[in-house]
mmCIF file of all heavy atoms in Angstrom:
data_model
loop_
_atom_site.group_PDB
_atom_site.id
_atom_site.type_symbol
_atom_site.label_atom_id
_atom_site.label_comp_id
_atom_site.label_asym_id
_atom_site.label_seq_id
_atom_site.Cartn_x
_atom_site.Cartn_y
_atom_site.Cartn_z
ATOM 1 N N THR A 300 8.733 -9.770 -23.089
ATOM 2 C CA THR A 300 8.684 -11.091 -23.699
ATOM 3 C C THR A 300 7.237 -11.524 -23.766
ATOM 4 O O THR A 300 6.585 -11.700 -22.729
ATOM 5 C CB THR A 300 9.500 -12.117 -22.880
ATOM 6 O OG1 THR A 300 10.848 -11.664 -22.805
ATOM 7 C CG2 THR A 300 9.473 -13.477 -23.535
ATOM 8 N N GLU A 301 6.719 -11.673 -24.975
ATOM 9 C CA GLU A 301 5.321 -12.023 -25.182
ATOM 10 C C GLU A 301 5.202 -13.478 -25.612
ATOM 11 O O GLU A 301 6.025 -13.989 -26.369
ATOM 12 C CB GLU A 301 4.728 -11.129 -26.272
ATOM 13 C CG GLU A 301 3.216 -11.249 -26.418
ATOM 14 C CD GLU A 301 2.460 -10.707 -25.228
ATOM 15 O OE1 GLU A 301 2.204 -11.499 -24.287
ATOM 16 O OE2 GLU A 301 2.132 -9.521 -25.196
ATOM 17 N N HIS A 302 4.178 -14.159 -25.066
ATOM 18 C CA HIS A 302 3.883 -15.529 -25.458
ATOM 19 C C HIS A 302 2.953 -15.479 -26.681
ATOM 20 O O HIS A 302 1.789 -15.099 -26.567
ATOM 21 C CB HIS A 302 3.224 -16.305 -24.318
ATOM 22 C CG HIS A 302 4.110 -16.428 -23.115
ATOM 23 N ND1 HIS A 302 5.269 -17.143 -23.120
ATOM 24 C CD2 HIS A 302 3.992 -15.912 -21.866
ATOM 25 C CE1 HIS A 302 5.850 -17.076 -21.929
ATOM 26 N NE2 HIS A 302 5.092 -16.331 -21.149
ATOM 27 N N VAL A 303 3.502 -15.868 -27.811
ATOM 28 C CA VAL A 303 2.750 -15.820 -29.060
ATOM 29 C C VAL A 303 2.075 -17.167 -29.279
ATOM 30 O O VAL A 303 2.730 -18.213 -29.275
ATOM 31 C CB VAL A 303 3.677 -15.494 -30.246
ATOM 32 C CG1 VAL A 303 2.899 -15.470 -31.550
ATOM 33 C CG2 VAL A 303 4.375 -14.161 -30.011
ATOM 34 N N VAL A 304 0.770 -17.152 -29.412
ATOM 35 C CA VAL A 304 -0.008 -18.369 -29.652
ATOM 36 C C VAL A 304 -0.204 -18.527 -31.158
ATOM 37 O O VAL A 304 -0.787 -17.660 -31.813
ATOM 38 C CB VAL A 304 -1.375 -18.303 -28.930
ATOM 39 C CG1 VAL A 304 -2.163 -19.574 -29.195
ATOM 40 C CG2 VAL A 304 -1.163 -18.089 -27.433
ATOM 41 N N VAL A 305 0.304 -19.638 -31.688
ATOM 42 C CA VAL A 305 0.187 -19.911 -33.114
ATOM 43 C C VAL A 305 -1.212 -20.460 -33.389
ATOM 44 O O VAL A 305 -1.575 -21.529 -32.882
ATOM 45 C CB VAL A 305 1.273 -20.905 -33.576
ATOM 46 C CG1 VAL A 305 1.135 -21.185 -35.071
ATOM 47 C CG2 VAL A 305 2.649 -20.354 -33.255
ATOM 48 N N GLU A 306 -2.018 -19.734 -34.154
ATOM 49 C CA GLU A 306 -3.383 -20.149 -34.449
ATOM 50 C C GLU A 306 -3.388 -21.285 -35.473
ATOM 51 O O GLU A 306 -2.571 -21.319 -36.397
ATOM 52 C CB GLU A 306 -4.178 -18.957 -34.999
ATOM 53 C CG GLU A 306 -4.308 -17.802 -34.030
ATOM 54 C CD GLU A 306 -5.197 -18.160 -32.852
ATOM 55 O OE1 GLU A 306 -5.971 -19.143 -32.982
ATOM 56 O OE2 GLU A 306 -5.111 -17.484 -31.815
ATOM 57 N N LYS A 307 -4.339 -22.215 -35.295
ATOM 58 C CA LYS A 307 -4.485 -23.355 -36.196
ATOM 59 C C LYS A 307 -5.678 -23.126 -37.125
ATOM 60 O O LYS A 307 -6.586 -22.365 -36.812
ATOM 61 C CB LYS A 307 -4.664 -24.643 -35.400
ATOM 62 C CG LYS A 307 -3.462 -24.990 -34.526
ATOM 63 C CD LYS A 307 -3.653 -26.326 -33.850
ATOM 64 C CE LYS A 307 -2.444 -26.691 -32.997
ATOM 65 N NZ LYS A 307 -1.213 -26.850 -33.797
ATOM 66 N N THR A 308 -5.668 -23.871 -38.244
ATOM 67 C CA THR A 308 -6.765 -23.759 -39.213
ATOM 68 C C THR A 308 -7.997 -24.491 -38.700
ATOM 69 O O THR A 308 -7.929 -25.263 -37.722
ATOM 70 C CB THR A 308 -6.335 -24.334 -40.559
ATOM 71 O OG1 THR A 308 -6.025 -25.733 -40.390
ATOM 72 C CG2 THR A 308 -5.082 -23.621 -41.070
ATOM 73 N N GLU A 309 -9.126 -24.276 -39.364
ATOM 74 C CA GLU A 309 -10.372 -24.926 -38.955
ATOM 75 C C GLU A 309 -10.282 -26.433 -39.120
ATOM 76 O O GLU A 309 -10.823 -27.185 -38.298
ATOM 77 C CB GLU A 309 -11.537 -24.355 -39.767
ATOM 78 C CG GLU A 309 -11.817 -22.884 -39.505
ATOM 79 C CD GLU A 309 -13.023 -22.392 -40.277
ATOM 80 O OE1 GLU A 309 -13.614 -23.220 -41.011
ATOM 81 O OE2 GLU A 309 -13.370 -21.205 -40.144
ATOM 82 N N GLU A 310 -9.610 -26.897 -40.165
ATOM 83 C CA GLU A 310 -9.471 -28.348 -40.353
ATOM 84 C C GLU A 310 -8.663 -28.961 -39.225
ATOM 85 O O GLU A 310 -9.013 -30.027 -38.697
ATOM 86 C CB GLU A 310 -8.814 -28.630 -41.707
ATOM 87 C CG GLU A 310 -9.659 -28.201 -42.909
ATOM 88 C CD GLU A 310 -8.970 -28.512 -44.224
ATOM 89 O OE1 GLU A 310 -7.827 -29.036 -44.157
ATOM 90 O OE2 GLU A 310 -9.542 -28.232 -45.287
ATOM 91 N N GLU A 311 -7.561 -28.301 -38.841
ATOM 92 C CA GLU A 311 -6.744 -28.817 -37.746
ATOM 93 C C GLU A 311 -7.521 -28.799 -36.433
ATOM 94 O O GLU A 311 -7.430 -29.749 -35.632
ATOM 95 C CB GLU A 311 -5.475 -27.981 -37.618
ATOM 96 C CG GLU A 311 -4.524 -28.149 -38.790
ATOM 97 C CD GLU A 311 -3.317 -27.230 -38.671
ATOM 98 O OE1 GLU A 311 -3.388 -26.249 -37.901
ATOM 99 O OE2 GLU A 311 -2.309 -27.508 -39.340
ATOM 100 N N LEU A 312 -8.285 -27.745 -36.202
ATOM 101 C CA LEU A 312 -9.083 -27.693 -34.982
ATOM 102 C C LEU A 312 -10.149 -28.781 -34.965
ATOM 103 O O LEU A 312 -10.423 -29.389 -33.916
ATOM 104 C CB LEU A 312 -9.742 -26.315 -34.855
ATOM 105 C CG LEU A 312 -8.800 -25.128 -34.620
ATOM 106 C CD1 LEU A 312 -9.570 -23.822 -34.641
ATOM 107 C CD2 LEU A 312 -8.064 -25.288 -33.301
ATOM 108 N N ALA A 313 -10.777 -29.090 -36.152
ATOM 109 C CA ALA A 313 -11.780 -30.154 -36.223
ATOM 110 C C ALA A 313 -11.153 -31.518 -35.949
ATOM 111 O O ALA A 313 -11.729 -32.348 -35.235
ATOM 112 C CB ALA A 313 -12.451 -30.132 -37.593
ATOM 113 N N LYS A 314 -9.964 -31.747 -36.493
ATOM 114 C CA LYS A 314 -9.278 -33.024 -36.239
ATOM 115 C C LYS A 314 -8.910 -33.161 -34.756
ATOM 116 O O LYS A 314 -9.063 -34.228 -34.162
ATOM 117 C CB LYS A 314 -8.028 -33.109 -37.097
ATOM 118 C CG LYS A 314 -8.303 -33.266 -38.585
ATOM 119 C CD LYS A 314 -6.996 -33.349 -39.360
ATOM 120 C CE LYS A 314 -7.263 -33.504 -40.851
ATOM 121 N NZ LYS A 314 -6.005 -33.575 -41.635
ATOM 122 N N ILE A 315 -8.440 -32.073 -34.163
ATOM 123 C CA ILE A 315 -8.099 -32.117 -32.736
ATOM 124 C C ILE A 315 -9.342 -32.385 -31.896
ATOM 125 O O ILE A 315 -9.312 -33.175 -30.937
ATOM 126 C CB ILE A 315 -7.427 -30.795 -32.323
ATOM 127 C CG1 ILE A 315 -6.060 -30.669 -33.009
ATOM 128 C CG2 ILE A 315 -7.269 -30.711 -30.816
ATOM 129 C CD1 ILE A 315 -5.397 -29.324 -32.783
ATOM 130 N N ALA A 316 -10.476 -31.743 -32.247
ATOM 131 C CA ALA A 316 -11.714 -31.973 -31.500
ATOM 132 C C ALA A 316 -12.176 -33.424 -31.638
ATOM 133 O O ALA A 316 -12.655 -34.030 -30.672
ATOM 134 C CB ALA A 316 -12.791 -31.004 -31.992
ATOM 135 N N GLU A 317 -12.042 -33.991 -32.842
ATOM 136 C CA GLU A 317 -12.435 -35.396 -33.045
ATOM 137 C C GLU A 317 -11.554 -36.328 -32.238
ATOM 138 O O GLU A 317 -12.036 -37.304 -31.635
ATOM 139 C CB GLU A 317 -12.357 -35.725 -34.538
ATOM 140 C CG GLU A 317 -12.865 -37.110 -34.902
ATOM 141 C CD GLU A 317 -14.348 -37.257 -34.611
ATOM 142 O OE1 GLU A 317 -15.067 -36.233 -34.617
ATOM 143 O OE2 GLU A 317 -14.778 -38.411 -34.354
ATOM 144 N N ARG A 318 -10.252 -36.053 -32.213
ATOM 145 C CA ARG A 318 -9.356 -36.897 -31.418
ATOM 146 C C ARG A 318 -9.676 -36.786 -29.931
ATOM 147 O O ARG A 318 -9.665 -37.784 -29.209
ATOM 148 C CB ARG A 318 -7.905 -36.490 -31.673
ATOM 149 C CG ARG A 318 -7.373 -36.937 -33.025
ATOM 150 C CD ARG A 318 -5.855 -36.898 -33.044
ATOM 151 N NE ARG A 318 -5.339 -35.560 -32.811
ATOM 152 C CZ ARG A 318 -5.040 -34.694 -33.769
ATOM 153 N NH1 ARG A 318 -5.236 -35.030 -35.039
ATOM 154 N NH2 ARG A 318 -4.551 -33.509 -33.471
ATOM 155 N N LYS A 319 -9.982 -35.569 -29.475
ATOM 156 C CA LYS A 319 -10.341 -35.414 -28.066
ATOM 157 C C LYS A 319 -11.637 -36.153 -27.745
ATOM 158 O O LYS A 319 -11.763 -36.782 -26.681
ATOM 159 C CB LYS A 319 -10.499 -33.920 -27.739
ATOM 160 C CG LYS A 319 -9.187 -33.164 -27.686
ATOM 161 C CD LYS A 319 -9.423 -31.720 -27.292
ATOM 162 C CE LYS A 319 -8.118 -30.970 -27.174
ATOM 163 N NZ LYS A 319 -8.326 -29.538 -26.790
#
Side-chain angles (χ1 to χ4, degrees):
T300 301
E301 189 68 270
H302 298 294
V303 179
V304 180
V305 180
E306 298 291 341
K307 297 185 179 297
T308 62
E309 295 183 0
E310 295 180 359
E311 292 176 342
L312 293 175
K314 290 180 180 179
I315 293 173
E317 186 64 26
R318 286 198 299 267
K319 288 183 177 180

